[in-house]
Amino acid sequence: DAMVIQNPRYQVTQFGKPVTLSCSQTLNHNVMYWYQQKSSQAPKLLFHYYDKDFNNEADTPDNFQSRRPNTSFCFLDIRSPGLGDAAMYLCATSRVLSGTSLDTQYFGPGTRLTVL
Amino acid sequence: GQNIDQPTEMTATEGAIVQINCTYQTSGFNGLFWYQQHAGEAPTFLSYNVLDGLEEKGRFSSFLSRSKGYSYLLLKELQMKDSASYLCALNSGAGSYQLTFGKGTKLSVIP
């Protein structure tokens, strides 16, 4: 089935040790998103890509970077994880319909990051 | 900017009907989405409204009034598996490819 895949599902890292989370999709959607979600909070958008155009949210820390080498893959790099970065990281995809109308977002299963 | 309000928690009985409200303020509007999220899992899409009125999908229905900045999700014949958080999300349009999420309503279904 077409889907959004995230690896790994669970990631443990040490304080300050760089970590990369990956996302792939078989939906051929042109928009990909990274969200951070902490317990009992709404998903918080970190950045998104429309094709190769990168859009960074104003309040996304510089510690977070992203790469989208092709339509199917997107990576989230956390350069120096802090204890406050422990969260669920959700990847989502969507497509732009006619004009500027946006289709629904499809989420991957998420990667739960633990920082020791 | 955008602001979305939902009740934090609700409790309802198995077999009953529950309505989860969402009110919003936004400068532009291009659709309102409802997602279900079970604890520790990713959100899954439930429904989408862009025009005023009711959209029905099996046990789930969603209503929108753009003039009032108001939507609700109606869940009928509640089952224990419906215990989850329900997120209201807004697309402001105007070339925006983003959704702004509410904090979610945690629904507990009791026997």
Side-chain angles (χ1 to χ4, degrees), chain B residues 22-56:
Chain B
C22 171
T23 57
Y24 62 87
Q25 296 87 42
T26 181
S27 53
F29 182 85
N30 199 30
L32 188 139
F33 299 79
W34 282 96
Y35 285 83
Q36 180 191 60
Q37 187 175 26
H38 285 100
E41 298 182 12
T44 55
F45 170 73
L46 287 178
S47 70
Y48 168 65
N49 294 73
V50 66
L51 299 175
D52 290 352
L54 190 67
E55 292 283 338
E56 297 191 73

Side-chain angles (χ1 to χ4, degrees), chain A residues 96-101, chain B residues 97:
Chain A
V96 177
L97 303 175
S98 59
T100 58
S101 179
Chain B
Y97 306 120

Side-chain angles (χ1 to χ4, degrees), chain A residues 10-115:
Chain A
Y10 300 90
Q11 175 74 58
V12 179
T13 190
Q14 292 179 328
F15 183 94
K17 185 174 181 183
V19 67
T20 294
L21 310 182
S22 73
C23 176
S24 64
Q25 55 130 340
T26 59
L27 297 159
N28 204 32
H29 284 172
N30 48 9
V31 193
M32 292 187 79
Y33 308 81
W34 279 107
Y35 290 89
Q36 179 193 65
Q37 188 178 27
K38 297 186 177 180
S39 182
S40 302
Q41 296 184 21
K44 178 181 180 299
L45 183 65
L46 297 174
F47 16 64
H48 74 278
Y49 285 88
Y50 178 28
D51 292 327
K52 282 198 169 288
D53 291 337
F54 175 72
N55 296 272
N56 195 31
E57 292 302 293
D59 57 354
T60 298
D62 292 340
N63 197 24
F64 292 84
Q65 304 285 317
S66 184
R67 297 169 281 137
R68 189 180 185 187
N70 55 51
T71 301
S72 301
F73 285 88
C74 196
F75 299 97
L76 170 63
D77 301 307
I78 308 176
R79 293 193 293 187
S80 182
L83 297 178
D85 297 328
M88 175 78 91
Y89 289 88
L90 297 165
C91 174
T93 73
S94 187
R95 57 180 178 154
V96 177
L97 303 175
S98 59
T100 58
S101 179
L102 185 69
D103 196 7
T104 190
Q105 290 188 13
Y106 295 89
F107 284 84
T111 295
R112 182 164 295 283
L113 178 68
T114 300
V115 181

